[in-house]
């Protein structure tokens, strides 16, 4: 939607294909209900957007760690933002230099300085609230567009813990719509719908990109799932924004005489290097603290552990997250180091959305297992110090798939170049977390939005 906004604003015609259905106005009442019921855990994925969820038969998960798409992705107008929590953090400069610092993975072919301007644009677009004076931010050229949510009485145990250890506190960075709920992509699409140069086709699942030569995409074949009829649409430029699971799936399904192993798979990296963010949550009722009203999402966090010091093991973003019934959680979003054996490949069957069935092989290596176990034990100790009666503990996978079409300078190392164009092509681009070279500890959505602004700017200048 952001890329379309940039291109339409420059006078270009944009056609968007969406495999799922419109949200039918549900996103707005959902945000309203969140404010009334004050429960940020309203099960958006499995109730409000049931038809947009993957069924078990729509994908296959192998490997030593199950990777479930049922609660991690939505196929609908507005995509998975219809179910996100709004956490909007920038990556840090060292995140773009993982290999140089630790020997793991690769460095990004672009640096933080090159993306900083687009981070500011993205924060304006999706309305990020925060305090630029807090310690822990990467270098910033602007203040946040929205004022930070104030710390609440419920934050006192967490803030006290940080103070005792000398760990810096910060206001949670969150993307907010004007109605007070999180900002979702359907808001942008509503703006675009009023533009004469923009057309969105729902229920239209792209299943093959057709090339006229090795270096040029000519058209896209898609299935109208309502009429069960296939169509072809031609375009001067094709941009794939299907997420880190379906992007390699589509490119692999588009194999042709010039790309026998799938478009962009010249080096064997398409669909490889899948990572996410392991999550750790320990929660319960704090002793001596009576819950008071406050925002439904977090208001306090720290990036003390999201630093170069922790990078070799896997840095993490540390939050104090409220839940219904007075529960509070120590919650971490943990960096996962690259693993080339985590893959997305294409099955022979079709999903309910008309796309090829993805097969996901996802594994925890020993380093990941040890890191998650060690942090879980550390959080147990911290919870005791702040008087948190733990009654809920879990580890899980955040809905943050990344790196399956990674960005590299050299074609032999990845799928797309620094402009997000597939190596050795002229007019075929990929945008989203699939293009990340590594993941860092920050939630990926703001970086996706920044990359989208950057790609939109590139496309308008290129033409």
């Amino acid at each position: 939607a952001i890329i379309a906004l940039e291109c339409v604003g420059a006078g270009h015609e944009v056609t968007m294909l969406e495999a799922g259905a419109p949200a039918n106005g549900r996103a707005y009442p959902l945000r309203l209900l969140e404010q009334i019921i004050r429960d940020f855990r309203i099960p958006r994925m499995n109730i409000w957007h049931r038809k947009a969820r993957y069924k078990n038969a729509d994908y296959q998960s192998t490997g030593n760690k199950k990777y479930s798409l049922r609660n991690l992705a939505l196929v609908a107008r507005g995509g998975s933002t219809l179910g996100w929590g709004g956490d909007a953090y920038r990556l840090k400069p060292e995140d773009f230099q993982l290999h140089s610092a630790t020997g793991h993975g690769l460095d990004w072919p672009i640096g933080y300085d090159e993306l900083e301007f687009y981070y500011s644009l993205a924060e304006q677009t999706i309305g990020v609230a925060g305090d630029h004076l807090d310690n822990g931010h990467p270098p910033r050229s602007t203040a946040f567009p929205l004022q930070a949510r104030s710390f609440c009485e419920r934050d006192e145990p967490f803030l006290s813990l940080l103070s005792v250890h000398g760990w810096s506190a910060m206001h949670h960075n969150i993307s907010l719509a004007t109605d007070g709920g999180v900002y979702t992509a359907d808001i942008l699409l509503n703006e675009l719908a009023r533009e004469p140069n923009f057309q969105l086709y729902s229920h239209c699942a792209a299943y093959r990109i057709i090339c006229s030569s090795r270096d040029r995409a000519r058209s896209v074949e898609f299935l109208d799932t309502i009429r069960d009829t296939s169509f072809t649409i031609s375009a001067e430029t094709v941009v794939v924004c299907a997420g880190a699971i379906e992007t390699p799936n589509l490119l692999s399904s588009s194999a042709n005489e010039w790309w026998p192993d799938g478009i962009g798979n010249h080096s064997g990296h398409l669909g490889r290097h899948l990572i996410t963010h392991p999550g750790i949550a320990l929660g319960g009722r704090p002793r001596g603290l009576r819950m008071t009203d406050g925002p439904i999402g977090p208001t306090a966090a720290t990036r003390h552990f999201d630093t170069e010091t922790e990078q070799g093991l896997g840095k993490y973003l540390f939050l104090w997250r409220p839940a219904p019934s007075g529960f509070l959680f120590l919650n971490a979003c943990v960096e996962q180091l690259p693993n080339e054996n985590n893959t997305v490949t294409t099955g022979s069957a079709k999903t309910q959305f008309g796309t090829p069935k993805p097969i996901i092989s996802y594994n925890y290596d020993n380093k990941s297992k040890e890191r998650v176990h060690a942090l879980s034990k550390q959080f147990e100790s911290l919870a005791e110090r702040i008087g948190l009666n733990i009654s809920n503990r879990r580890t899980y996978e955040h809905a943050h798939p990344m790196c399956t079409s990674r960005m590299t300078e050299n074609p032999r190392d990845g799928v797309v170049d620094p402009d997000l164009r597939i190596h050795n092509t002229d007019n075929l681009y990929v945008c989203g977390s699939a293009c990340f070279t590594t993941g860092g500890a920050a939630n990926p959505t703001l970086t996706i939005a920044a990359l989208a602004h950057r790609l939109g700017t590139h496309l308008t200048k290129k033409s």
Side-chain angles (χ1 to χ4, degrees):
I2 289 173
I3 296 166
L5 201 66
E6 292 274 4
C7 292
V8 168
H12 298 287
E13 293 186 1
V14 176
T15 300
M16 183 183 294
L17 300 177
E18 167 56 63
N24 295 323
R26 285 179 174 172
Y28 175 76
L30 173 59
R31 289 193 290 267
L32 190 62
L33 269 179
E34 286 178 325
Q35 300 301 316
I36 296 171
I37 302 175
R38 309 200 60 74
D39 183 352
F40 80 96
R41 294 194 312 177
I42 290 175
R44 311 176 187 198
M45 291 291 198
N46 58 350
I47 293 181
W48 288 92
H49 305 293
R50 184 172 295 160
K51 292 182 180 179
R53 293 174 67 210
Y54 285 79
K55 297 177 181 177
N56 285 331
D58 290 328
Y59 68 97
Q60 182 180 344
S61 178
T62 64
N64 64 25
K65 189 78 173 175
K66 183 172 176 58
Y67 195 96
S68 171
L69 293 185
R70 282 184 58 78
N71 294 316
L72 298 186
L74 292 171
V75 181
R77 179 184 181 274
S80 296
T81 66
L82 299 176
W84 82 309
D87 297 7
Y89 289 86
R90 299 182 178 196
L91 290 175
K92 289 191 164 185
E94 65 269 14
D95 293 322
F96 297 86
Q97 301 292 322
L98 180 67
H99 181 76
S100 294
T102 70
H104 293 292
L106 290 176
D107 292 345
W108 289 52
I110 62 174
Y112 176 83
D113 289 345
E114 186 173 343
L115 206 56
E116 200 281 330
F117 170 77
Y118 298 102
Y119 269 130
S120 296
L121 275 183
E123 288 169 345
Q124 288 284 343
T125 300
I126 65 173
V128 179
D131 188 340
H132 69 286
L133 298 177
D134 285 337
N135 289 323
H137 290 301
R140 302 180 55 89
S141 59
T142 60
F144 285 90
L146 301 182
Q147 184 176 353
R149 286 174 161 176
S150 301
F151 294 137
C152 309
E153 180 184 349
R154 70 185 185 205
D155 294 326
E156 289 177 2
F158 184 68
L159 296 175
S160 175
L161 175 70
L162 300 182
S163 177
V164 166
H165 288 86
W167 303 336
S168 60
M170 71 188 311
H171 296 80
H172 180 55
N173 299 170
I174 186 168
S175 169
L176 295 172
T178 54
D179 59 21
V182 299
Y183 193 97
T184 54
D186 60 311
I187 297 172
L188 268 183
L189 290 171
N190 289 342
E191 293 179 25
L192 283 164
R194 296 191 288 269
E195 297 289 340
N197 285 353
F198 177 78
Q199 181 69 56
L200 184 146
Y201 294 104
S202 299
H203 300 287
C204 291
Y207 62 86
R208 185 174 173 229
I209 298 168
I210 301 172
C211 294
S212 57
S213 65
R214 177 178 171 80
D215 58 4
R216 192 156 188 86
R218 184 185 72 210
S219 56
V220 177
E221 287 185 344
F222 65 94
L223 175 70
D224 183 325
T225 57
I226 298 297
R227 291 183 282 179
D228 196 26
T229 305
S230 293
F231 297 90
T232 301
I233 186 168
S234 299
E236 288 296 317
T237 301
V238 176
V239 185
V240 181
C241 304
I245 303 298
E246 292 294 0
T247 289
N249 199 17
L250 173 60
L251 294 174
S252 176
S253 301
S254 302
N256 55 45
E257 60 184 294
W258 302 285
W259 299 93
D261 298 316
I263 299 177
N265 203 21
H266 46 277
S267 57
H269 288 284
L270 180 66
R272 303 190 75 84
H273 313 285
L274 171 67
I275 58 170
T276 184
H277 286 128
I280 303 170
L282 277 80
R285 293 180 184 275
R287 291 191 293 272
L289 177 66
R290 184 175 181 274
M291 282 293 290
T292 57
D293 285 343
I296 54 176
T299 45
T302 180
R303 298 191 79 169
H304 179 82
F305 304 99
D306 183 10
T307 61
E308 296 169 85
T309 306
E310 302 285 337
Q311 201 170 16
L313 297 172
K315 35 171 31 196
Y316 59 98
L317 188 64
F318 196 21
L319 293 93
W320 183 236
R321 194 175 289 278
S325 307
F327 276 38
L328 287 160
F329 283 80
L330 291 173
N331 181 223
C333 184
V334 185
E335 176 183 25
Q336 186 176 22
L337 299 175
N339 185 343
E340 67 176 357
N341 296 317
N342 289 349
T343 62
V344 179
T345 54
T346 300
S348 57
K350 298 287 186 182
T351 69
Q352 62 176 309
F353 309 111
T355 55
K357 177 178 175 178
I359 301 172
I360 304 163
S361 178
Y362 182 68
N363 302 273
Y364 264 14
D365 55 26
N366 288 335
K367 270 186 171 291
S368 295
K369 292 177 184 176
E370 291 167 4
R371 184 60 164 166
V372 170
H373 177 73
L375 291 179
S376 297
K377 298 296 288 183
Q378 179 182 333
F379 288 5
E380 293 263 6
S381 175
L382 294 175
E384 290 178 6
R385 295 180 202 176
I386 59 175
L388 192 65
N389 293 313
I390 301 174
S391 56
N392 188 310
R393 49 172 62 81
R394 66 191 182 103
T395 59
Y396 59 98
E397 308 307 309
H398 280 279
H400 303 162
M402 299 173 279
C403 302
T404 52
S405 303
R406 70 182 184 181
M407 185 197 323
T408 60
E409 188 71 53
N410 195 312
R412 72 169 179 261
D413 296 325
V415 177
V416 301
D417 68 14
D419 291 326
L420 304 188
R421 180 173 47 222
I422 290 180
H423 284 294
N424 304 316
T425 69
D426 291 336
N427 67 335
L428 182 54
Y429 295 81
V430 174
C431 193
S433 59
C435 298
F436 287 19
T437 309
T438 55
N443 308 66
T445 305
L446 185 64
T447 302
I448 294 170
L451 288 173
H453 271 298
R454 180 173 175 270
L455 177 55
T457 300
H458 169 77
L459 292 175
T460 57
K461 288 179 178 178
K462 178 174 179 285
S463 58

